[in-house]
Amino acid sequence: MAAIDWTNIQKKYKGLWVALADDEQTVLGAGKTLQEALEHAKKKGHKDPIMTRMPETLDTYVGLF
């Protein structure tokens, strides 16, 4: 399975909660709260979207052990 690039989604919705379709690319709703984003998706007929919060910034992390 290939990694999914959310860079464009993050740029548009940074800091917001986002409801995604099963393809993990289609934004069904967004809002300042999880509930707000979920309500937007439900109004469009999606009962169980994938919910995530987009970070304010995209930071690289390299871990060492």
Side-chain angles (χ1 to χ4, degrees):
M1 179 180 232
I4 296 172
D5 183 1
W6 283 351
T7 305
N8 290 332
I9 296 172
Q10 187 274 336
K11 285 179 184 177
K12 186 172 181 179
Y13 299 101
K14 57 177 114 179
L16 298 177
W17 282 93
V18 177
L20 299 171
D22 290 339
D23 66 3
E24 297 184 32
Q25 293 290 318
T26 306
V27 176
L28 304 172
K32 291 182 180 181
T33 66
L34 183 134
Q35 187 63 35
E36 184 180 346
L38 185 57
E39 285 175 13
H40 286 279
K42 286 184 177 182
K43 285 180 184 178
K44 293 180 180 178
H46 301 276
K47 295 180 182 178
D48 193 24
I50 298 167
M51 302 302 298
T52 189
R53 187 172 183 278
M54 289 294 135
E56 291 282 340
T57 61
L58 291 178
D59 299 318
T60 302
Y61 173 78
V62 178
L64 300 173
F65 51 107

